[in-house]
Amino acid sequence: MNKDPERGSRSEQFRMAIAAFIEARRELKLKGKEDDVDAVSKYDYGTWLADAVRRVGQIQAVTHVLKATHPDARGSSLHVAPDRLPPHAEIGSHLLGEDFAEDVVGNAAALDVFKFLKVEIDGRRLLDWMHAGDSDLGRALHPDPAIASAWMEAFGSLVRSDPVPVSHGSAKQIYWLVGDQPEDDAHYHLLQPLFSSSLAHAVHADIQDARFGETNKLARQAFRAREAHDADYRDYRNLVARKLGGTKPQNISQLNSERGGINYLLASLPPTWDVERPRKLLKLESAMDRLAYIRGMRHRVGDLADFLLANPPNNDATRTRRRRMEQELGGQLALFAAETRARFEPGWTRDPDCLLAECEQLWLDPGRAEEDEDFKAAYHRGDWPDEVAGRFANWLNAQLHEAGLATVGDAEHAHWARQAIIEAAWPVPTRRSAPEGATA
């Protein structure tokens, strides 16, 4: 007889939480099949728990996943809590402390059992209460103490290790020299590096928060606007996303499935956090002043000037050659714009030292339109390519005039402008920045 009413209510609390989980699974799995008596009966309280006990042996809680190195590997994965690892100065799993994500490997069809064991009561998971042998949880599982104890032991076995860890031919292995005679095989240890899923999950969460979190988004906007902000601005650059498991990431592990198979790789090179500022384009009234410094531009302008100074005959061959030279100049103009956009953070034209005309800012910094509504409206008005073209034409005519072509005038100006309009408007990201309803 239970003389403590509080313990009876606590046991009922466990039971209600378990029943709620089972009911949620029933609604999820039997939507539209409520009349299937056999299917519905599988979600009776005792029936589902007994089946979960049977299936829990098909999965294993781990921290280091073997299949992440190769999907066909059939060896041992490990469960090693971070506080059991030796401390190192380098970043590793040992730094995760008590707040780490456990992963699960095994039969993907039994992953719902792990979700069940993660249900929290009074701030602890059911799995933790199982390990503690909580008597109130036992009464909630089954009225027979022997059966309840067996079930708790079975559920608690989710965290286990193979008595003798086993490797596999598909696993990555390294011969590590531990002696001083590299020609002797006995002086090597065979190491098998294991993928730390718990660490990968922590890194993934931090990167996702830096990329899409609201707090860092506001900090990023302040950084680009060169405005003060209370929070730190975090940015991970040169990332590579490695997909594990293909279309079935759950075959690797549960956490891998939660990440959609995405595992970020940081750049293996010294960081360069001091992003290059567009110093060469600041304090200039026109970016055209820098065109002569583009590799190959001065040479191409000189070739065109020499060709025109030679007074070539007015025929198809002359027009074809002149058109080709014009296209090369236009290509250099487009390359200058593309390289500028790639090198500098979007929004760099907000710098107080940026004196470029608005048309050139729209041309060279289109990414600013994503976070600046006035800039976006100016971009979509669409008159800036004509202005850029006119500036390019003026610059080129001045270059040709310096080369001795005194007759370069309005007709040539209009010709250069038409060519420059094409190059100034492409490859600006028109698809990304087009107004709603527009087509590229």
Side-chain angles (χ1 to χ4, degrees), residues 127-160:
L127 179 61
D128 300 323
W129 292 118
M130 302 278 185
H131 285 154
D134 190 272
S135 58
D136 291 326
L137 174 56
R139 279 187 287 273
L141 291 175
H142 199 279
D144 186 330
I147 295 178
S149 178
W151 283 8
M152 292 177 69
E153 183 178 353
F155 284 130
S157 69
L158 178 72
V159 180
R160 62 184 184 276

Side-chain angles (χ1 to χ4, degrees), residues 53 55 68 91 163 184 225 248 251 279 284 290 308 323 328 337 377 387 416 429:
V53 168
R55 292 185 295 130
I91 293 176
D184 186 349
K248 296 181 179 179
N251 287 347
R279 296 180 181 86
L284 288 179
R290 294 298 179 207
L308 297 178
R323 188 181 307 112
E328 291 177 352
E387 296 180 44
W416 302 130

Side-chain angles (χ1 to χ4, degrees), residues 47-175:
T47 303
W48 190 89
L49 282 175
D51 182 62
V53 168
R54 178 186 61 82
R55 292 185 295 130
V56 73
Q58 300 173 13
I59 56 177
Q60 177 187 0
V62 299
T63 56
H64 295 71
V65 178
L66 176 64
K67 282 183 174 289
T69 61
H70 196 288
D72 292 332
R74 296 291 187 269
S76 300
S77 294
L78 300 181
H79 186 287
V80 184
D83 58 8
R84 291 173 50 198
L85 293 168
H88 296 288
E90 296 78 14
I91 293 176
S93 305
H94 59 283
L95 296 177
L96 296 177
E98 295 182 358
D99 186 20
F100 68 97
E102 283 180 317
D103 207 346
V104 172
V105 296
N107 185 3
L111 290 177
D112 60 314
V113 180
F114 179 57
K115 294 179 181 178
F116 162 68
L117 293 173
K118 289 201 300 181
V119 172
E120 289 194 1
I121 308 294
D122 292 340
R124 297 181 69 186
R125 301 173 303 171
L126 286 176
L127 179 61
D128 300 323
W129 292 118
M130 302 278 185
H131 285 154
D134 190 272
S135 58
D136 291 326
L137 174 56
R139 279 187 287 273
L141 291 175
H142 199 279
D144 186 330
I147 295 178
S149 178
W151 283 8
M152 292 177 69
E153 183 178 353
F155 284 130
S157 69
L158 178 72
V159 180
R160 62 184 184 276
S161 299
D162 295 338
V164 179
V166 178
S167 185
H168 188 268
S170 295
K172 291 182 173 64
Q173 299 177 347
I174 300 173
Y175 282 97

Side-chain angles (χ1 to χ4, degrees), residues 215-243:
T215 300
N216 203 51
K217 177 182 177 182
L218 296 176
R220 179 166 54 248
Q221 292 173 348
F223 173 77
R224 291 177 177 176
R226 301 295 187 265
E227 297 173 352
H229 192 73
D230 293 336
D232 294 334
Y233 169 44
R234 296 176 294 123
D235 192 10
Y236 292 89
R237 296 176 179 144
N238 301 317
L239 288 174
V240 172
R242 183 173 63 135
K243 291 275 286 186

Side-chain angles (χ1 to χ4, degrees), residues 188-204:
Y188 289 86
H189 279 175
L190 184 59
L191 304 180
Q192 178 185 301
L194 282 178
F195 179 83
S196 177
S197 186
S198 297
L199 179 60
H201 205 65
V203 170
H204 183 272

